[in-house]
């Protein structure tokens, strides 16, 4: 049973109050114990069972520090004094791991787990801030098995891994319980407590760029796109351009420079989804078949 209620966190976090459910009590365990990690020095971290509140973590620090919110952390790396890993629910994702402020944690298909390695840097890390804990920091485990948690060295701190996957926040998640990063570009998904993709890799509510019901209002509309036979832009391919509705032949992946609508039926009929930019695997966002497209520009 999962205990964190992400939707209750947003209003209380703003007031500096922790409202997190009980889990395994506030027993302190393994203080300063070495983490299952590829990062040297991760033994500096202290592990505790239970929530930050149960362990009397200082309010407005760690995950609740103002600069730890995704949109702010996107501006520069943030190494938190403490992190909380909670098995809970966010939107339609159940289970999914959320942090101590109720924000969804994500994994990236282009990263590796053996060894754990992040392949998201530069602009990618601005959109997807790596979830960092400072050296000497604390890790609170709320329904998460310690054996699933690890760390890799990054930006003078440690990036948390779950099931070997480095984890991240999404800069367009603005409140506790948002899942706007779910399914983006067919490579980003909420992470389960064991490291697997939340909701079997399907899009949750409010899914954002690349897979969502609504496009980013700041994203430009696409006027053309290229559809590929296979995932990861594998040929053969078909280029299509607007205006209006166009039928397409291939359903593996697509490349586009903005937002467009795709349908699973011809002539823009059937189920519809708005995507924003490239999608490496259309089946991963629930569209194993694409038969038509409409350009929004």
């Amino acid at each position: 049973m999962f205990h964190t209620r992400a939707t209750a966190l947003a209003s209380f976090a703003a007031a500096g109050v922790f409202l997190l459910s009980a889990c395994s009590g506030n027993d302190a365990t393994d203080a300063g114990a070495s983490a299952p990690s590829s990062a040297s020095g991760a033994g500096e971290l202290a592990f505790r069972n239970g929530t930050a509140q149960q362990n009397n973590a200082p309010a407005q620090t760690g995950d609740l520090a103002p600069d730890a919110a995704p949109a702010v952390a996107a501006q520069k790396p943030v190494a938190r004094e403490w992190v909380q890993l909670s098995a809970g629910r966010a939107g339609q994702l159940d289970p999914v791991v959320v942090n101590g402020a109720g924000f969804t944690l994500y994994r990236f298909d282009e990263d590796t787990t053996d060894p754990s390695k992040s392949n998201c840097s530069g602009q990618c890390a601005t959109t997807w801030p790596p979830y960092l804990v400072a050296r000497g920091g604390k890790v609170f485990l709320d329904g998460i098995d310690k054996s699933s948690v690890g760390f890799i060295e990054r930006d003078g701190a440690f990036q948390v891994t779950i099931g070997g996957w480095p984890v991240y926040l999404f800069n367009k998640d603005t409140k506790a319980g948002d899942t706007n990063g779910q399914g983006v570009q067919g490579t980003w998904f909420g992470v389960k407590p064991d490291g697997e993709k939340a909701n079997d890799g399907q899009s949750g509510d409010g899914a954002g760029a690349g897979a969502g019901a609504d496009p980013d209002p700041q994203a430009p509309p696409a006027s053309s796109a290229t559809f590929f036979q296979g995932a990861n832009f594998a040929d053969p391919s078909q280029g299509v351009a607007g205006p209006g509705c166009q039928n397409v032949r291939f359903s593996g992946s697509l490349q586009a420079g903005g937002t467009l609508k795709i349908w699973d039926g011809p002539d823009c009929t059937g189920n519809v989804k708005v995507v924003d930019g490239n999608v490496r695997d259309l089946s991963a966002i629930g569209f194993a078949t694409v038969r038509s497209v409409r350009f929004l520009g």
Side-chain angles (χ1 to χ4, degrees):
M1 179 176 182
F2 300 100
H3 307 276
T4 299
R5 296 183 180 275
T7 55
L9 283 163
S11 59
F12 285 85
V17 179
F18 292 77
L19 183 59
L20 299 172
S21 60
C23 181
S24 54
N26 58 355
D27 296 335
T29 59
D30 298 327
S34 295
S37 168
S38 60
S40 60
E44 302 170 16
L45 300 173
F47 285 81
R48 299 288 187 270
N49 286 333
T51 66
Q53 181 188 30
Q54 291 167 343
N55 285 279
N56 300 313
Q60 296 301 302
T61 63
D63 283 344
L64 290 183
D67 65 352
V72 183
Q75 300 172 18
K76 64 178 182 179
V78 173
R80 298 153 185 82
E81 297 177 26
W82 57 262
V83 296
Q84 178 178 309
L85 303 174
S86 295
R89 176 175 180 172
Q92 296 179 12
L93 305 183
D94 184 13
V96 69
V97 181
V98 298
N99 75 359
F103 286 104
T104 303
L105 296 177
Y106 299 91
R107 46 165 281 182
F108 182 35
D109 282 357
E110 294 186 12
D111 286 346
T112 61
T113 61
D114 188 18
S116 296
K117 180 182 177 182
S118 170
N119 288 309
C120 177
S121 60
Q123 184 58 45
C124 175
T126 299
T127 303
W128 303 91
Y131 188 53
L132 304 177
V133 58
R135 294 177 180 273
K138 293 183 173 62
V139 181
F140 301 115
L141 302 177
D142 178 30
I144 305 291
D145 192 328
K146 181 183 172 184
S147 65
S148 296
V149 181
F151 307 90
I152 55 176
E153 291 186 294
R154 182 167 187 160
D155 297 314
F158 299 116
Q159 183 173 4
V160 177
T161 68
I162 299 177
W165 292 98
V167 294
Y168 308 80
L169 299 167
F170 183 47
N171 69 353
K172 294 180 182 177
D173 283 349
T174 60
K175 64 182 184 301
D178 278 353
T179 59
N180 294 316
Q182 177 71 359
V184 167
Q185 296 184 347
T187 56
W188 290 92
F189 301 96
V191 62
K192 287 183 177 181
D194 60 0
E196 295 299 312
K197 297 177 185 180
N199 209 29
D200 295 324
Q202 300 303 311
S203 298
D205 71 326
D214 296 301
D216 178 354
Q218 296 182 343
S223 59
S224 63
T226 302
F227 285 80
F228 296 83
Q229 176 70 33
N232 296 312
F233 318 123
D235 285 330
S237 62
Q238 174 193 8
V240 292
C245 181
Q246 304 291 333
N247 292 328
V248 299
R249 291 180 292 161
F250 301 131
S251 304
S253 51
L254 75 85
Q255 291 180 333
T259 57
L260 65 158
K261 290 184 178 181
I262 57 175
W263 278 263
D264 62 4
D267 303 316
C268 296
T269 61
N271 295 317
V272 62
K273 187 180 291 289
V274 177
V275 296
D276 179 3
N278 298 342
V279 180
R280 289 182 175 275
D281 186 355
L282 286 162
S283 65
I285 64 170
F287 262 59
T289 299
V290 178
R291 291 289 180 262
S292 53
V293 56
R294 183 181 295 277
F295 296 100
L296 303 178

